[in-house]
Amino acid sequence: MSDAVVCSFITKILCSKGGGLGFSELPSLSGLSEHQLEEILQDAGKERFLVVPRDSLRQVLAVSPVRLCLRNSCGGCQNLHICKNYTKGRCFRPACGRWACKYSHEVFSEANRKVLKAHELSGLNENELRVLLLQNDHFLWPDVCNFYNKGDGNCAQQDNCTKLHICRYFLRGECRFPKCKRSHNLLQPNALKLLLEGGVDDQVAWNIQTICEHKTAVLSRELGPRKGNFARPASSGEKSSAGNPREARLEQATSIPNLMDLNLGPDQGVKATPCTKPPQNAEKEKSDEICLFYVWRFCKNKTNCNMIHYDMPYRWQVQTANGWKDLPRREEIEKAYSDPSITSISDPEYIDFSTMTTSMSRVRRLSTPSSVTKPPKFVMTTKWLWYWKNDLGQWTEYGTQGGQLQESSLCSDDLENLFLAVPEGSPQFKAGSQQYEISFKDMKQRNLQYQTQREVRRRPKFVSSEDVKTKKGHTNQAPASTPFTDYPNTWDKSALPAIGYKAVEVIKTSPEYTKIETLFQKTMSNYAIDKLKRIQNPSLWQIFQWQKEQMKKKNGGKTVDERLLFHGTNPSSLEAICSDNFDWRICGTNGTAFGKGSYFARDASYSHHYCPRDAKVKAMFVAQVLVGDFVAGNAAYTRPPEKSSGMINCYDSCVNDVADPSIFVIFEKPQIYPAYLICYREDRPSGYVTIARGTTSGRSTTRVHLQQQQQYQWLPSSPPAATNYVPPVSVATATATATATATATARTATFTPTYLPRQMAANNNKKEEEKKCVIS
């Protein structure tokens, strides 16, 4: 096992745990012995992992030189091009549209993936990469105060300053002054407050402080004692190092044992080899991947694109004397290759899939990027499936039951992520009570207890030319009956756009309207629905159905718990949600009591509190949500926790109360579909009739109420000066419940109104006022 194989996996573990972890906890999570782990950390060096003492224990921190680029776009840059605020989860501009952010929100773009691959970070997901960047890139931290860092360090705002009162060179690891007059303590209350407000939690703040102190200590050792006369004279009020917390931490940092100096004895474990970095001036090669944008519609880069332009997400070629040549009948070859039980074909030409050769030449298969490296909206990615061979010779996909007493804890997507991160790795997993190991290099699965081995194969999910047309949104034929193209029967088939969505108003007399109205009125009886619009977004629907199928497979074929839930939001977010689904970074964070995700409520009355109070007509979403298996939430969660320790399989969502959940937190967008948009307003009390008439400025409105048991009633012989008289009203068939004394058989009735004046502010521009009458 080499260092390159496990370094990425160890970094992934550390970042998933907040950027750092106790050394004693790593062996159980990584599957390595303590001695092997020490050797790997030693060979990787402190440029990759920093081991520091904390509370008499050793703490391992993830360190990396990867940084965000300071510019919007540049050529040949070795940094990541991602929006700074998006990385911190605080960019509320959409990724596209009129008000789109000018910086990229695509974390795993082609250029970014190359940078991550160069730094051996391909296996990190978005949240893990965010943690790694937050504790290493000072560009993501709050700005330092320029006034504090100049001259005597006098800032007029003192503790009220919104910028860090910290030495700017300390944050970069470049402070040359052993007794610097500026603060080197990020954990002081004011600095820590600004870090927390900037999206950095307590643990990451401690990690930042430790990493900065380590860099300062390394620089101090390199310069030597007062080398170059860099030391500043201490001010009269400055304390000695014994009473200075910063000095104490600096001394502690300089005394940290270097793993490179550890004298480790021989062991039978596997020796790790040092990381190898690609040369800086390596020639830029053309990618062997097919361009997603060209397959979908068009590529704006045209001939300048460094990816291959082809009309299908895969391409089969044979090597000839004149270069690579396309093979005929590509769909037949692809269909055979997608079947894990087929190792070769003879028509149209003999091809051995295990060696990727013909009888005389080499064969290659080009494809679009793997689906795990792109967001679900990229429908032209290649979905790779992983299979193992059981005792009957049948090939079974990982994550599904097939010959084992219990399905494996890994699914195809999990294995694909691990494979891309470390192509020659050997991850371990559990299936029931058995522990297994998969060797990507040999494509073998081994039982660690009985040492039995099985074959493993990685094959793509077959996509035909008709499937490609369907995904593009233009096909003249009716799509096959699959979960990805079957739309609900209630949908208007003439309103299915290729991109985006259509809002279709639901007829009030339809059962669909009645169902949603009943659900809404359970807790919102004092409000009436103005309009109910059905959101028809084919792309989001296909992603939602795909996610349902994946969750069903992970659940052993059992039906996934799906619910209709409410979500209240601001009008400014409606368009973004209908187009790109719910995203807590766009919708805003009204609270994270049960986790950092999108919140949904069982009761419409709860979601109503998150709609603007001053709006006459409010809007609320009804979403189809795959809640699946849920667990009690926690404010620190950025994803649902694992179902059991050491297992990759996690819960699907978090709730406020497991026994009777009314609030659900969803962390993955594909688990949500914005099904309906309810436009509603406060309902008028039952029985009120609106009568419009002319009035003059300063005249008050009058509410006429005819309840039998009304206090302070008075019957004037003539209308009072402060009100306007309403003539007797004739009403057909008074109901028996309106008043106890009404005659049930009366066909008409004439009443003398009772006046209850209600003062209202004068409005010179108002030409009419309303008179409300309740008829008993």
Side-chain angles (χ1 to χ4, degrees):
M1 183 184 298
S2 66
D3 185 69
V5 173
V6 293
C7 274
S8 179
F9 187 57
I10 294 175
T11 301
K12 184 178 180 68
I13 294 174
L14 294 176
C15 293
S16 66
K17 301 297 182 181
L21 202 62
F23 181 87
S24 59
E25 298 177 70
L26 269 178
S28 61
L29 295 175
S30 62
L32 301 169
S33 66
E34 289 191 5
H35 184 75
Q36 288 175 325
L37 189 59
E38 285 183 341
E39 285 186 329
I40 292 169
L41 296 180
Q42 175 189 8
D43 290 334
K46 294 195 175 184
E47 295 78 14
R48 191 69 185 267
F49 303 107
L50 181 62
V51 183
V52 295
R54 184 179 186 183
D55 299 333
S56 71
L57 298 175
R58 285 192 293 172
Q59 190 86 357
V60 183
L61 306 181
V63 184
S64 175
V66 67
R67 298 289 185 266
L68 292 186
C69 182
L70 304 182
R71 291 176 289 180
N72 185 10
S73 61
C74 56
C77 180
Q78 298 300 316
N79 295 325
L80 296 173
H81 289 84
I82 312 173
C83 172
K84 172 183 177 180
N85 291 327
Y86 180 84
T87 305
K88 297 192 295 183
R90 294 174 178 271
C91 184
F92 302 107
R93 287 183 175 270
C96 57
R98 182 180 178 185
W99 306 107
C101 179
K102 66 178 181 179
Y103 296 97
S104 174
H105 286 193
E106 189 177 353
V107 177
F108 299 106
S109 65
E110 180 65 21
N112 288 340
R113 287 199 301 117
K114 288 182 179 179
V115 174
L116 293 175
K117 187 175 181 179
H119 291 280
E120 299 175 352
L121 300 173
S122 301
L124 302 186
N125 61 31
E126 189 169 325
N127 285 332
E128 292 161 351
L129 179 60
R130 172 181 171 270
V131 171
L132 184 65
L133 289 171
L134 272 178
Q135 71 181 32
N136 286 278
D137 193 353
H138 63 83
F139 178 59
L140 295 172
W141 306 338
D143 295 333
V144 296
C145 178
N146 290 328
F147 296 103
Y148 177 80
N149 276 272
K150 290 181 180 179
D152 294 331
N154 294 326
C155 176
Q157 298 187 34
Q158 297 295 327
D159 293 342
N160 295 324
C161 185
T162 58
K163 297 185 178 181
L164 290 174
H165 283 193
I166 300 292
C167 173
R168 68 168 74 250
Y169 299 103
F170 169 75
L171 297 181
R172 300 173 186 173
E174 300 172 357
C175 186
R176 298 167 176 263
F177 304 103
K179 295 184 178 181
C180 181
K181 294 194 296 183
R182 320 291 180 203
S183 173
H184 285 196
N185 185 11
L186 280 167
L187 302 181
Q188 61 182 351
N190 291 335
L192 185 59
K193 177 184 176 182
L194 292 176
L195 287 173
L196 295 176
E197 291 174 351
V200 178
D201 59 29
D202 291 334
Q203 180 176 348
V204 174
W206 188 90
N207 295 347
I208 294 173
Q209 176 71 29
T210 306
I211 293 172
C212 291
E213 287 178 348
H214 166 71
K215 291 180 179 179
T216 303
V218 171
L219 181 62
S220 178
R221 286 200 300 266
E222 292 176 353
L223 295 175
R226 299 187 181 275
K227 183 178 180 179
N229 196 25
F230 282 119
R232 284 181 181 170
S235 60
S236 58
E238 191 170 2
K239 297 181 180 180
S240 65
S241 62
N244 191 333
R246 188 195 70 79
E247 293 290 339
R249 282 194 302 273
L250 184 60
E251 290 177 4
Q252 183 187 45
T254 57
S255 64
I256 294 174
N258 190 343
L259 285 177
M260 298 294 291
D261 299 332
L262 291 176
N263 186 15
L264 299 174
D267 188 75
Q268 295 179 354
V270 183
K271 174 69 176 178
T273 59
C275 294
T276 57
K277 296 185 179 180
Q280 295 292 331
N281 297 325
E283 183 180 355
K284 184 178 180 181
E285 298 180 356
K286 189 173 181 66
S287 173
D288 59 355
E289 289 184 340
I290 297 174
C291 178
L292 280 171
F293 299 98
Y294 185 85
V295 181
W296 171 248
R297 288 296 169 85
F298 68 96
C299 176
K300 64 180 182 180
N301 296 320
K302 298 182 180 178
T303 56
N304 294 326
C305 182
N306 67 335
M307 303 185 77
I308 297 170
H309 285 183
Y310 198 60
D311 64 332
M312 292 288 285
Y314 51 83
R315 186 175 188 175
W316 286 91
Q317 295 182 316
V318 60
Q319 192 175 34
T320 65
N322 296 324
W324 291 97
K325 180 182 176 182
D326 289 339
L327 285 168
R329 299 166 69 174
R330 59 189 179 184
E331 286 192 42
E332 295 182 20
I333 300 175
E334 179 71 11
K335 188 172 184 179
Y337 183 66
S338 300
D339 188 343
S341 63
I342 298 178
T343 58
S344 64
I345 59 170
S346 56
D347 187 26
E349 186 175 355
Y350 176 79
I351 299 176
D352 187 340
F353 291 140
S354 59
T355 60
M356 294 300 282
T357 57
T358 64
S359 55
M360 299 179 63
S361 305
R362 290 174 56 201
V363 173
R364 71 176 183 178
R365 178 187 181 274
L366 307 177
S367 69
T368 53
S370 176
S371 58
V372 300
T373 65
K374 295 288 184 181
K377 67 180 180 180
F378 291 94
V379 295
M380 294 298 180
T381 53
T382 299
K383 172 69 175 177
W384 289 96
L385 304 178
W386 288 76
Y387 302 90
W388 61 278
K389 193 175 183 180
N390 61 21
D391 294 331
L392 301 177
Q394 299 171 338
W395 290 92
T396 305
E397 183 184 351
Y398 280 91
T400 61
Q401 288 182 333
Q404 290 177 325
L405 296 178
Q406 185 176 345
E407 64 192 68
S408 68
S409 58
L410 289 175
C411 65
S412 290
D413 284 352
D414 297 326
L415 284 171
E416 183 68 11
N417 271 311
L418 294 170
F419 174 74
L420 294 178
V422 277
E424 295 186 357
S426 300
Q428 296 182 4
F429 69 98
K430 284 185 178 180
S433 59
Q434 299 298 315
Q435 186 84 13
Y436 297 91
E437 180 183 74
I438 297 178
S439 172
F440 291 147
K441 183 177 181 180
D442 302 326
M443 295 302 279
K444 297 285 186 181
Q445 172 186 296
R446 181 169 60 91
N447 187 304
L448 297 182
Q449 180 178 0
Y450 300 106
Q451 298 300 313
T452 55
Q453 293 189 355
R454 301 182 186 274
E455 290 184 64
V456 175
R457 283 183 186 166
R458 173 183 182 252
R459 295 293 174 89
K461 182 179 180 180
F462 176 65
V463 178
S464 66
S465 58
E466 288 301 318
D467 294 333
V468 172
K469 291 180 181 179
T470 302
K471 290 181 178 182
K472 287 183 177 181
H474 52 80
T475 175
N476 296 327
Q477 300 180 358
S481 178
T482 64
F484 306 102
T485 55
D486 278 347
Y487 302 114
N489 295 329
T490 56
W491 278 28
D492 182 358
K493 300 304 186 290
S494 64
L496 296 175
I499 300 176
Y501 73 98
K502 289 286 185 182
V504 180
E505 188 168 349
V506 182
I507 302 173
K508 292 189 176 183
T509 56
S510 65
E512 182 183 13
Y513 186 97
T514 304
K515 176 183 177 181
I516 301 302
E517 184 182 39
T518 303
L519 188 66
F520 178 79
Q521 292 286 350
K522 280 185 179 180
T523 57
M524 297 286 286
S525 57
N526 293 332
Y527 291 81
I529 297 178
D530 268 7
K531 290 181 181 179
L532 176 63
K533 295 182 179 181
R534 183 195 315 116
I535 308 302
Q536 297 188 181
N537 190 323
S539 298
L540 293 184
W541 179 259
Q542 292 171 15
I543 294 169
F544 179 74
Q545 294 300 314
W546 175 85
Q547 179 69 18
K548 185 189 294 185
E549 287 298 313
Q550 296 303 308
M551 292 175 66
K552 186 176 180 180
K553 289 179 182 179
K554 292 182 69 174
N555 203 27
K558 299 178 183 178
T559 303
V560 180
D561 188 356
E562 179 181 345
R563 306 193 184 193
L564 282 174
L565 302 174
F566 295 96
H567 180 93
T569 187
N570 293 319
S572 59
S573 301
L574 299 181
E575 183 74 19
I577 292 174
C578 293
S579 299
D580 301 319
N581 214 337
F582 292 90
D583 191 329
W584 65 272
R585 292 165 297 189
I586 295 176
C587 301
T589 53
N590 291 311
T592 56
F594 307 107
K596 298 174 183 177
S598 296
Y599 280 64
F600 297 88
R602 176 193 62 195
D603 303 325
S605 58
Y606 182 87
S607 297
H608 169 70
H609 295 300
Y610 295 95
C611 297
R613 296 183 179 180
D614 54 349
K616 292 183 179 179
V617 178
K618 299 177 174 61
M620 179 187 302
F621 279 99
V622 180
Q624 292 176 242
V625 184
L626 300 172
V627 299
D629 296 333
F630 46 77
V631 69
N634 186 288
Y637 288 163
T638 56
R639 67 168 188 173
E642 298 172 350
K643 290 186 177 180
S644 58
S645 178
M647 303 291 284
I648 297 180
N649 197 15
C650 299
Y651 286 95
D652 301 307
S653 61
C654 293
V655 297
N656 61 330
D657 183 2
V658 177
D660 184 24
S662 61
I663 301 174
F664 294 82
V665 186
I666 307 299
F667 300 86
E668 299 294 337
K669 291 168 62 175
Q671 291 179 230
I672 315 164
Y673 180 77
Y676 299 96
L677 180 63
I678 300 176
C679 300
Y680 66 99
R681 67 171 70 226
E682 188 173 2
D683 193 14
R684 289 169 181 159
S686 177
Y688 276 82
V689 179
T690 300
I691 302 175
R693 56 179 176 76
T695 185
T696 59
S697 175
R699 186 77 67 125
S700 63
T701 58
T702 304
R703 178 173 294 169
V704 182
H705 197 203
L706 295 180
Q707 275 189 320
Q708 186 178 14
Q709 298 179 352
Q710 177 69 42
Q711 296 181 356
Y712 309 113
Q713 290 186 350
W714 46 275
L715 296 174
S717 56
S718 61
T723 62
N724 288 318
Y725 178 69
V726 180
V729 183
S730 179
V731 182
T733 316
T735 57
T737 58
T739 175
T741 60
T743 305
T745 59
R747 304 300 299 173
T748 61
T750 301
F751 301 89
T752 301
T754 300
Y755 296 92
L756 294 177
R758 178 168 64 92
Q759 189 65 31
M760 188 176 185
N763 186 352
N764 293 330
N765 296 325
K766 191 172 181 181
K767 302 303 181 183
E768 291 187 347
E769 68 175 352
E770 291 185 345
K771 190 177 206 36
K772 301 178 180 179
C773 305
V774 176
I775 315 298
S776 58

